[in-house]
Amino acid sequence: MGALTVSQVEGVPAAWPEPAWAWQRMEAWVSHRWSEREVVWIVEGPGEWTPPLRPATSFTAERWNGEGWVAAGSTLAPLGGLELPCGTFRVAATVGDDSAPPAAVTEAIARLVAFAAQAPAGLRSYSVGDVEAEIEPKAASRALHLCGAGDLLKPWRKPR
């Protein structure tokens, strides 16, 4: 059994690719980040801990000693995380790599943007190419599914 992630606080990147709203929505769906930012996790050890967001580098770990956070020893683990002893840890890392996203991710963003342009608030039906569908007013929360972007993003999905 590995160490358990208790909480995650994700910083905001210096800049989002455009359109920023579409990238933010897509990142809520996947575990990969293309724009660098700091992320801090609270982790309960012992065991191997793998960060739930990728790619993660430049780890620092602090251990809760009952009064505050103190520097902690940790060892890099084989799957890209840390091997932690027993205790509660605050782990910080840089997440994201500023590389160009794969074509499937770019296409997913394009589909999401096209869907949003065709489905203004309150619209009950839409069509993209030959596909026509009825939607509910809260369809914006399901836009990644409805426009097909979710299928393109499967390789980068968050673990369940």
Side-chain angles (χ1 to χ4, degrees):
M1 184 168 150
L4 174 69
T5 302
V6 177
S7 73
Q8 173 178 290
V9 177
E10 186 173 350
V12 177
W16 293 96
E18 291 296 328
W21 69 266
W23 280 90
Q24 291 169 5
R25 183 69 200 119
M26 182 270 299
E27 284 190 353
W29 180 252
V30 300
S31 60
H32 193 97
R33 299 295 184 261
W34 284 274
S35 298
E36 286 188 351
R37 78 280 318 261
E38 183 180 61
V39 180
V40 177
W41 296 275
I42 302 299
V43 180
E44 293 285 335
E48 184 173 346
W49 174 78
T50 304
L53 297 177
R54 302 270 181 170
T57 59
S58 305
F59 291 101
T60 60
E62 299 171 299
R63 185 178 183 159
W64 181 254
N65 68 4
E67 295 179 11
W69 297 105
V70 295
S74 59
T75 307
L76 291 177
L79 297 177
L82 300 174
E83 188 67 41
L84 298 170
C86 190
T88 302
F89 297 85
R90 180 168 62 186
V91 178
T94 299
V95 176
D97 61 12
D98 288 332
S99 66
V105 173
T106 304
E107 175 62 21
I109 293 294
R111 287 184 185 188
L112 182 58
V113 170
F115 176 85
Q118 292 186 11
L123 187 66
R124 292 212 173 266
S125 65
Y126 73 96
S127 63
V128 176
D130 296 338
V131 178
E132 292 187 25
E134 293 292 319
I135 60 173
E136 61 223 40
K138 294 185 180 184
S141 66
R142 296 183 40 222
L144 280 167
H145 297 288
L146 294 171
C147 72
D151 287 338
L152 293 172
L153 296 171
K154 282 183 181 178
W156 301 278
R157 285 279 314 269
K158 290 183 176 181
R160 292 182 179 220

